[in-house]
Amino acid sequence: MSVDTYLKGKNLRSYSALSKDDVDLFVSSRLVGWAKQVRLDLGRFFIWPRLGVSVEPIHRHAPGAT
Protein backbone atom coordinates (compact mmCIF):
# COMPACT_ATOMS: atom_id res chain seq x y z
CA MET A 1 0.00 0.00 0.00
CA SER A 2 1.18 3.51 -0.73
CA VAL A 3 0.25 6.56 1.33
CA ASP A 4 0.75 10.15 0.22
CA THR A 5 -0.55 12.98 2.36
CA TYR A 6 0.70 15.84 0.15
CA LEU A 7 -1.67 16.16 -2.80
CA LYS A 8 -0.99 19.71 -4.01
CA GLY A 9 -0.49 19.67 -7.77
CA LYS A 10 -1.16 15.92 -8.11
CA ASN A 11 -3.36 14.54 -10.90
CA LEU A 12 -6.09 12.51 -9.15
CA ARG A 13 -8.31 11.84 -12.19
CA SER A 14 -7.43 8.15 -12.31
CA TYR A 15 -8.55 7.61 -8.70
CA SER A 16 -11.97 7.12 -7.16
CA ALA A 17 -12.65 9.18 -4.03
CA LEU A 18 -14.07 7.67 -0.86
CA SER A 19 -14.93 9.91 2.09
CA LYS A 20 -15.79 9.41 5.73
CA ASP A 21 -16.00 12.19 8.29
CA ASP A 22 -13.08 14.52 7.50
CA VAL A 23 -10.99 11.88 5.69
CA ASP A 24 -10.79 11.64 1.89
CA LEU A 25 -9.29 8.44 0.51
CA PHE A 26 -8.29 8.20 -3.15
CA VAL A 27 -8.33 4.61 -4.39
CA SER A 28 -6.99 3.29 -7.66
CA SER A 29 -9.80 2.71 -10.17
CA ARG A 30 -8.31 -0.72 -10.79
CA LEU A 31 -8.72 -1.63 -7.12
CA VAL A 32 -12.32 -0.41 -7.15
CA GLY A 33 -12.98 -2.75 -10.11
CA TRP A 34 -11.61 -5.71 -8.14
CA ALA A 35 -13.33 -4.86 -4.86
CA LYS A 36 -16.75 -5.95 -3.68
CA GLN A 37 -16.40 -3.68 -0.65
CA VAL A 38 -13.89 -1.15 0.67
CA ARG A 39 -14.15 -0.48 4.40
CA LEU A 40 -12.68 2.50 6.25
CA ASP A 41 -12.13 2.33 10.01
CA LEU A 42 -11.34 5.62 11.70
CA GLY A 43 -10.49 5.86 15.34
CA ARG A 44 -8.15 7.06 17.99
CA PHE A 45 -5.66 5.32 20.27
CA PHE A 46 -5.01 7.72 23.13
CA ILE A 47 -3.90 10.83 21.20
CA TRP A 48 -2.92 9.14 17.91
CA PRO A 49 -5.37 8.94 15.03
CA ARG A 50 -5.87 5.53 13.43
CA LEU A 51 -6.94 4.70 9.90
CA GLY A 52 -7.66 1.18 8.75
CA VAL A 53 -8.63 0.13 5.23
CA SER A 54 -9.83 -3.35 4.31
CA VAL A 55 -10.84 -4.55 0.87
CA GLU A 56 -13.10 -7.53 0.13
CA PRO A 57 -12.34 -8.90 -3.37
CA ILE A 58 -15.17 -9.61 -5.81
CA HIS A 59 -14.11 -13.26 -5.92
CA ARG A 60 -11.36 -15.44 -4.45
CA HIS A 61 -9.16 -15.30 -7.55
CA ALA A 62 -9.44 -11.57 -8.19
CA PRO A 63 -6.05 -9.93 -8.94
CA GLY A 64 -4.38 -8.90 -5.71
CA ALA A 65 -6.60 -11.09 -3.50
CA THR A 66 -4.74 -13.04 -0.84
Side-chain angles (χ1 to χ4, degrees), residues 31-47:
L31 176 63
V32 171
W34 297 335
K36 179 190 251 182
Q37 178 180 7
V38 176
R39 181 180 173 174
L40 296 177
D41 288 321
L42 304 173
R44 217 168 250 297
F45 180 73
F46 293 111
I47 62 170

Side-chain angles (χ1 to χ4, degrees), residues 2 4-8 39 56:
S2 174
D4 192 351
T5 58
Y6 186 75
L7 299 178
K8 186 174 182 179
R39 181 180 173 174
E56 181 183 347

Side-chain angles (χ1 to χ4, degrees), residues 6-60:
Y6 186 75
L7 299 178
K8 186 174 182 179
K10 301 245 169 105
N11 180 358
L12 301 174
R13 281 184 273 152
S14 64
Y15 293 88
S16 297
L18 304 170
S19 297
K20 183 173 182 180
D21 299 336
D22 291 336
V23 175
D24 294 326
L25 180 69
F26 295 92
V27 180
S28 162
S29 297
R30 210 175 245 191
L31 176 63
V32 171
W34 297 335
K36 179 190 251 182
Q37 178 180 7
V38 176
R39 181 180 173 174
L40 296 177
D41 288 321
L42 304 173
R44 217 168 250 297
F45 180 73
F46 293 111
I47 62 170
W48 298 282
R50 179 182 54 81
L51 170 65
V53 179
S54 58
V55 178
E56 181 183 347
I58 53 175
H59 54 78
R60 199 166 65 124

